[in-house]
Amino acid sequence: MVIKCKAAVAWEVDKPLSIEEVEVAPPKAHEVRVKIVATGICGTDDHVLKGSIPNIDYPIIPGHEGAGIVESIGEGVTCVKPGMEGLALSHPHLHESQNLMPDKTSRFTCKGKAIHHFLWISTFSEYTVMPDSAIARIDDDAPLDKVCLFGCGFSTGYGAAINTAKVKPGSTCAIFGLGGVGLSVVVGCKSAGASRIIGIDINKDKFTKARELGATECINPQDFKKPIQEVLLEMTGHGVDYSFEVVGHTDTMVAALVSCHMGSGTCVLVGTPPLGSQLSFDPLLLFTGRTWKGCLIGGWKTKDSIPKLVSGYMEKKFNPDVLITHTLPFDKINEGFELLQSGKSIRTVLVF
Ligand code: APR
Ligand code: ZN
């Protein structure tokens, strides 16, 4: 049965989202229809609105940090049953746009037009359909308006520290960009036992939260005449053991590389690079022994590991709740994007 519900549609690039009534078709084989209860707003959704994500077709329903209740399942689905709590998993395959379901059709229509999916999960819709590979069953009593962050932001940052950099106890870390993802890197560095965690942001309002989560020092590049990489080299003597770029700018990517130790430092790129950008850097930076790495969604094998992260949250091993600065009704989604764009929010969670 087709369900009619509310969704936020991006009809074209550079326009605010419009709340529309959409029709959501039933799930086909190996698909699941989910009633989304809560969804976070991530920087990547903002990139969709601005048209800076490759291979995206419009109109589209964005959103990829959602948690909800399984409403119905298609043939052959065994991992979840209707009524179970689930977390939508975005695992972007860069070779596929995930702009349509795997069978190359859409389950959404609005005003007679087919609407594209985003990363196969489109969580800015009260009901959405996703492949069964994109849903993870989570603890039945997990608070959906909190654990939705495990769908992207928290897992991305925390995993970058734990899985990709493999931060060692007693080490020194530098995190460029203290948004929701960068602060999650801070949490990961702290839980890995780093002894110095240096947060870097051009917005000093981000420092309070960063310190609360474990940053030992916070610096603003605008407070120095010299480039930030030189400041970090002076602060640490030989550079940091691990640096993380969580802004998504090419200049901070190179600055993060320069900031880590020339012989043993590891730099992890977490921020999404601008569309079509190219980097230029002195190859000597790698020649001397630095390691440069990237990761998607924190390097987790999402379907198995993200539910374990949620269980860790239920056992109070870490508390990303402090990342949620705003909770708004779904209809105020554009207000949520304005809060993100103006730097006033860390994470806004929308509830249906
Ligand atoms: N140096 C340091 N910090 C900067 C700079 C800079 N030159 N420019 C911007 N920032 C800070 C912003 O002030 C902001 O606090 O980087 C932070 C980015 O945070 P958000 O916009 O909240 O983004 P977030 O959701 O954390 O994602 C960060 O990771 O997954 C990607 O697409 C995402 O590229 C984005 C990045
Ligand atoms: Zn995201």
Side-chain angles (χ1 to χ4, degrees):
M1 195 185 71
V2 170
I3 292 180
K4 283 188 182 183
C5 69
K6 259 193 305 207
V9 178
W11 288 100
E12 51 189 315
V13 170
D14 273 333
K15 290 272 158 65
L17 286 161
S18 51
I19 305 272
E20 307 280 4
E21 186 182 77
V22 298
E23 294 90 36
V24 187
K28 293 191 182 176
H30 289 286
E31 293 179 358
V32 177
R33 188 161 60 183
V34 180
K35 183 179 197 312
I36 297 292
V37 172
T39 175
I41 299 178
C42 170
T44 306
D45 299 311
D46 197 39
H47 295 323
V48 173
L49 303 194
K50 292 182 176 137
S52 51
I53 305 255
N55 310 321
I56 292 276
D57 292 316
Y58 299 77
I60 185 171
I61 298 176
H64 62 283
E65 227 177 48
I69 313 270
V70 175
E71 179 270 334
S72 59
I73 57 176
E75 210 183 298
V77 174
T78 53
C79 58
V80 286
K81 288 200 178 75
M84 283 179 177
E85 285 201 354
L87 190 67
L89 302 171
S90 49
H91 34 155
H93 301 298
L94 292 177
H95 55 283
E96 284 178 73
S97 71
Q98 299 177 312
N99 224 190
L100 290 168
M101 283 290 111
D103 74 349
K104 310 274 184 267
T105 62
S106 166
R107 301 291 162 273
F108 293 120
T109 49
C110 179
K111 297 177 179 160
K113 276 188 106 166
I115 310 293
H116 289 89
H117 294 250
F118 180 52
L119 295 175
W120 280 343
I121 54 180
S122 291
T123 60
F124 291 165
S125 181
E126 196 179 356
Y127 286 86
T128 186
V129 176
M130 58 193 73
D132 59 359
S133 62
I135 184 146
R137 190 188 173 186
I138 52 172
D139 295 78
D140 284 330
D141 47 353
L144 299 175
D145 58 342
K146 304 289 189 300
V147 300
C148 54
L149 257 59
F150 286 84
C152 177
F154 180 74
S155 305
T156 297
Y158 185 79
I162 301 285
N163 298 328
T164 312
K166 298 193 167 59
V167 169
K168 292 202 181 79
S171 59
T172 299
C173 302
I175 297 99
F176 289 73
L178 300 171
V181 183
L183 290 173
S184 304
V185 175
V186 171
V187 176
C189 294
K190 182 171 179 191
S191 75
S195 52
R196 262 184 105 178
I197 301 172
I198 307 169
I200 302 139
D201 203 295
I202 52 170
N203 179 353
K204 65 173 171 27
D205 295 344
K206 309 276 171 157
F207 294 169
T208 318
K209 280 253 146 81
R211 290 205 181 88
E212 200 180 319
L213 290 165
T216 55
E217 292 136 278
C218 288
I219 52 175
N220 181 346
Q222 293 166 340
D223 289 343
F224 302 91
K225 285 213 179 69
K226 57 180 91 164
I228 195 68
Q229 54 269 37
E230 283 178 31
V231 175
L232 283 162
L233 289 174
E234 273 171 24
M235 283 171 74
T236 56
H238 300 282
V240 300
D241 300 306
Y242 307 96
S243 59
F244 299 86
E245 201 281 349
V246 208
V247 181
H249 292 169
T250 50
D251 52 350
T252 39
M253 291 177 187
V254 178
L257 179 67
V258 179
S259 307
C260 71
H261 188 282
M262 68 182 284
S264 60
T266 297
C267 175
V268 182
L269 298 189
V270 188
T272 312
L275 186 63
S277 57
Q278 298 281 316
L279 274 180
S280 154
F281 65 99
D282 182 348
L284 205 57
L285 290 167
L286 294 179
F287 176 78
T288 57
R290 288 180 180 86
T291 303
W292 218 356
K293 290 180 140 186
C295 61
L296 279 173
I297 323 284
W300 302 101
K301 291 191 179 63
T302 46
K303 181 102 174 168
D304 302 326
S305 47
I306 302 285
K308 287 186 196 142
L309 277 180
V310 173
S311 304
Y313 167 84
M314 298 303 282
E315 291 156 18
K316 300 197 168 29
K317 283 192 189 146
F318 32 67
N319 184 6
D321 292 10
V322 273
L323 302 177
I324 303 170
T325 49
H326 300 77
T327 301
L328 295 176
F330 181 71
D331 290 358
K332 295 199 169 165
I333 188 164
N334 285 316
E335 208 173 289
F337 275 92
E338 281 157 27
L339 288 164
L340 174 73
Q341 289 154 0
S342 62
K344 291 194 185 107
S345 62
I346 300 292
R347 267 293 189 274
T348 296
V349 169
L350 304 165
V351 286
F352 281 95

